[in-house]
Amino acid sequence: MSKYTEDDLKVELENKEYEYGFYTDIESETFPVGLNEDIVRAISKKKEEPEWMTEWRLEAFRAWSEMTEPTWANVHYTKPDFQAISYYSAPKKKDKYASLDEVDPELLETFKKLGISIDEQKKLAGVAMDIVVDSVSVATTFKKTLAEKGIIFCSISEAIKEHPELVQKYLGTVVPQKDNFYAALNSAVFSDGSFCYIPKGVRCPMELSTYFRINQAGTGQFERTLVIADEESYVSYLEGCTAPSRDENQLHAAVVELIALDGAEIKYSTVQNWFPGNKDGQGGVFNFVTKRGLCEKNAKISWTQVETGSAVTWKYPSCVLKGDNSVGEFYSIAVTNNFQQADTGTKMIHLGKNTKSTIISKGISAGKSQNSYRGLVQISSRAENARNFSQCDSLLMGNNCGAHTFPYIESKNPSAKIEHEATTSKIGEDQVFYCNQRGIPTEKAIALIVNGFSKEVLNKLPMEFAVEAQKLLEISLEGSVG
Amino acid sequence: MLEVKNLHAKVEDKDILKGINLSVKAGEVHAIMGPNGSGKSTLSAVIAGNEHYEMTEGEIILDGEDITELAPEERAHKGVFLSFQYPVEIPGVSVTNFMKTAINESRKAQGLEEMPANEMLKSIREKSELLEIDRKFLSRSLNEGFSGGEKKRNEIFQMAMLEPKLAILDETDSGLDIDALRIVANGVNKLKSENNAIIVITHYQRLLDYIVPDFVHVLYKGKIVKSGGKELAYELEEKGYDWIKSEN
């Protein structure tokens, strides 16, 4: 009856270019492709690292050389050629900038396109930015305010030089070098990333955020993040990602380690919006990430993630609930459209007594995408009175996508209480018509329905992130009802 | 206000409406009655623009404008409202948020600014009082876990908020107990004016005791087979639909 059909809408939106698909032409210093011990040494040298760090990297490289890529995830892709990647790329200007005037104007332009000009961010009270562009931190703000509280927030390279005792004590303690193929690779070649230390009893007065960007054609990005919350401290950390579009696949293998000492709390929120590939499934970022947190006694770690980007996602932010009474939480929205594939979830490892974990996962699949939740709840024999609640909901759009759930439960303690709930639903034509009848166009109706579906997780995000996340959901799913 | 001319419609190759003619003027209340399967709900869905039904012939004219080719949301923007027989659930979207979105989308289509928050709140307060709705209800997810009566009351609340020109109430009385029926009917009567029109689709006479129609039409096998004043509804109640069936 109406002239503008859903099919028209679909076509229009499939042709919509990736919003952040632009490429900044900054002079970069790039290593020759390939990976061997010399390259690992060269990276370490380039970064003026101490001997122990070089050795640590080499150890990881040797372990990696013996490992093979995991194949158990429910994703299918052409394996990257690890010898065809350049493992180091940094903007040529070596020194840190004292003021914005010194920053490469093209880089500033990039930030502008992203809507996150540093200038603006500086004024945005409460948000300190440590922006990682192509692996090297180029701007750090609010450092002074943080320093007054004894909080250290800097690039990991800087931390290796300035705070070696902390880095040496904690790096690799939650995600060991040999943990898995991608973690080993990251440990050998990580270029940069963020470091954060909150001293005993300190509540970090602002949300800490880092924007990561992949910027150089053909360079993989290997960030390393280490967050240490000392006893009775609190920090909320935000990580947001966008990347320019590329024809060839880009590899991203990050490692994030969180350490929450006795009574500490870490809230780690991510919005991931890397290039998902075009509508034919070409290009897009391979996102193979290892994120894990360790909770000591009475500590709490919350992971919140909104995953809308990447061609292939392999990511399981996990909590090791080592200390008694510790709490782990995982709130996730994973959206896949077109040919995207996501295999994501969490692991809650209950070691201490009275440990509690909550998992809320919302998977939204559209187009020809595949969206899998994979989770493990493990209760060890000495974890008396451990409790877990898991809820996995899937929302499907159209008839060509898939939603899968792989929940694993291993309980070795009879006092454990574990609950698992799961639902699968489809956006119905009747729901869309109901909205239409009230004057809400289809595109907006879908955004409304999806936001409603994801509400429990969106509510967990810090305010400024929640708004951005809602917009991302709309952009990612427009025109996908069928 | 509304002119339906020779309307034919089918769903999945089954002809449902076979030439409906209906003329509704501003300020009028029309009742459409008929046995199950006569096409009552199809008629309301087709007027609202539900694409599940294929309109094969005829015209729908609203205020002199042919709206046959318009999308459902465009018809809504022009003042067509349908109170659903079975309102759908939208989990996680509150009644308030839904209404705010609906009102602002309509305003946007008319080139107006978004409704200011205080105005919206005032309107919500007034309209919820009109329908004796507890405001806590408005922060609940749309229709999720609502009782039959709550769903229908919520439909009329939305009608009150959107202030349509033409409201079609599809079996609004089904699932209502007598108290809820009275509240809903009172609400509708208060919303009635010289500038709008109401089409009440119902199976029973009961609702028409409260919302008194100017005209009653009997729909049978996709056609209007009888039209008359409100007394026709009583006659139907008395004689039953078999009377219509035997005559056709």
Side-chain angles (χ1 to χ4, degrees), chain A residues 185-342:
Chain A
L185 179 64
N186 174 286
S187 301
V189 304
F190 72 85
S191 35
D192 215 330
S194 294
F195 175 86
C196 175
Y197 172 79
I198 316 290
K200 268 183 203 174
V202 169
R203 256 190 97 80
C204 184
M206 56 183 83
E207 314 265 2
L208 299 182
S209 47
T210 307
Y211 274 82
F212 296 101
R213 302 250 310 147
I214 302 176
N215 209 324
Q216 192 66 23
T219 44
Q221 186 146 2
F222 306 93
E223 288 101 1
R224 187 91 195 184
T225 301
L226 179 60
V227 178
I228 304 153
D230 212 328
E231 292 170 21
E232 306 294 333
S233 68
Y234 168 83
V235 63
S236 170
Y237 192 97
L238 316 182
E239 175 197 75
C241 314
T242 51
S245 63
R246 283 284 163 272
D247 288 327
E248 61 205 283
N249 289 308
Q250 291 174 297
L251 175 66
H252 181 88
V255 172
V256 176
E257 292 179 280
L258 309 183
I259 293 131
L261 297 179
D262 290 1
E265 182 179 348
I266 302 174
K267 212 171 135 68
Y268 195 101
S269 314
T270 305
V271 169
Q272 187 266 115
N273 181 30
W274 280 324
F275 182 51
N278 67 12
K279 66 183 169 77
D280 300 318
Q282 287 158 339
V285 170
F286 286 0
N287 193 20
F288 304 133
V289 183
T290 307
K291 289 182 166 180
R292 199 175 298 152
L294 177 76
C295 284
E296 294 288 357
K297 222 191 291 171
N298 302 319
K300 179 178 174 182
I301 289 178
S302 298
W303 296 103
T304 306
Q305 60 172 23
V306 177
E307 301 278 322
T308 60
S310 298
V312 181
T313 300
W314 181 98
K315 180 182 175 187
Y316 316 90
S318 303
C319 295
V320 180
L321 304 172
K322 183 179 159 217
D324 292 349
N325 312 314
S326 58
V327 176
E329 294 175 338
F330 175 74
Y331 302 104
S332 169
I333 301 170
V335 180
T336 52
N337 198 353
N338 295 322
F339 286 87
Q340 279 178 280
Q341 304 175 70

Side-chain angles (χ1 to χ4, degrees), chain B residues 116-143:
Chain B
N118 56 351
E119 212 178 297
M120 183 84 70
L121 284 171
K122 189 167 161 263
S123 177
I124 286 174
R125 201 161 47 232
E126 285 171 11
K127 306 297 161 63
S128 56
E129 272 165 23
L130 179 71
L131 288 150
E132 300 178 36
I133 285 174
D134 182 349
R135 249 170 292 143
K136 269 184 228 147
F137 173 87
L138 301 175
S139 51
R140 283 170 60 186
S141 287
L142 188 68
N143 293 319

Side-chain angles (χ1 to χ4, degrees), chain A residues 344-357:
Chain A
T344 183
T346 183
K347 287 190 275 187
M348 292 291 175
I349 313 293
H350 292 252
L351 300 176
K353 296 186 178 75
N354 305 314
T355 45
K356 258 173 72 177
S357 63

Side-chain angles (χ1 to χ4, degrees), chain A residues 17 41 54 60 84 100 119 157 159 182 194 245 249 270 373 444:
Chain A
E17 280 179 50
R41 280 202 183 86
T54 315
L100 282 179
D119 223 339
S157 316
Y182 303 112
S194 294
S245 63
N249 289 308
T270 305
Y373 167 81
K444 186 85 190 174

